[in-house]
Amino acid sequence: MDEEAAQAPAGVPGAAPPAIVVMGVAGCGKSAVGIALAAGLDAVFIEGDRLHPPENVARMASGEPLTDQLREGWLDAIGERIVTSIGEGQGVVAACSALKRSYRERLRGFCPDLVFLYLGIDPATARQRVASRKGHFMPASLVDSQFAILEPPRSDERALTIDATRPVADVVADAMHLLANS
């Protein structure tokens, strides 16, 4: 990511509020990292999973992966929430899988200055984490389908990549450092 692409942390005089999407497959830690990162940046946190329509939740809970078409309204809901927060002068950190470049481009249609924080993780660790979650609609059986469509951000995208197999505090510290110094 080039220097012009970096978002300054909230609280820096004259800086635009940060607009960050924490992305990756199920089990990579999007929510935990996003909540902690938002707190560190004094930003609003948006939990993308809560914006899925009930039909999508039911499909995933039954083990059916979502299609691109089924994700469109969900991505739009996240994009609208990001724009609302930025419009109110608040920084924002959203948790959203954003697995494909087209999904990230759809979100950037709402906020061109979005920075994506890609939490990289291996399939075995993701499956283990998802299987151990309590009360979440996403079954571990869908982890492989997420890796099957995953398009990690490329060098021409405004994205930072972090190894998410480490403790959340370490991931957040790295994210804060990368955001401040990129």
Side-chain angles (χ1 to χ4, degrees), residues 33-156:
V33 170
I35 289 167
L37 185 59
L41 294 172
D42 193 27
V44 172
F45 176 69
I46 298 169
E47 175 54 75
D49 281 347
R50 291 198 179 125
L51 299 177
H52 273 294
E55 304 81 37
N56 284 5
V57 173
R59 279 185 174 89
M60 288 183 283
S62 70
E64 181 183 337
L66 298 180
T67 64
D68 290 351
Q69 186 177 13
L70 290 171
R71 293 176 196 266
E72 289 175 355
W74 171 64
L75 292 166
D76 291 349
I78 294 169
E80 289 166 4
R81 290 276 180 100
I82 290 169
V83 167
T84 298
S85 293
I86 295 297
E88 294 171 351
Q90 299 173 312
V92 63
V93 176
C96 172
S97 56
L99 297 173
K100 291 184 177 182
R101 184 180 183 118
S102 63
Y103 303 167
R104 296 186 293 275
E105 288 173 357
R106 190 174 190 100
L107 290 169
R108 281 193 186 100
F110 289 91
C111 182
D113 294 332
L114 275 179
V115 174
F116 288 86
L117 179 63
Y118 171 50
L119 302 182
I121 191 169
D122 61 277
T125 302
R127 278 191 298 274
Q128 182 275 324
R129 287 182 180 179
V130 172
S132 67
R133 292 194 298 203
K134 303 290 184 231
H136 196 279
F137 58 82
M138 180 84 161
S141 62
L142 286 181
V143 170
D144 289 338
S145 71
Q146 291 211 324
F147 276 98
I149 66 166
L150 176 64
E151 298 171 1
R154 296 192 306 202
S155 61
D156 64 333

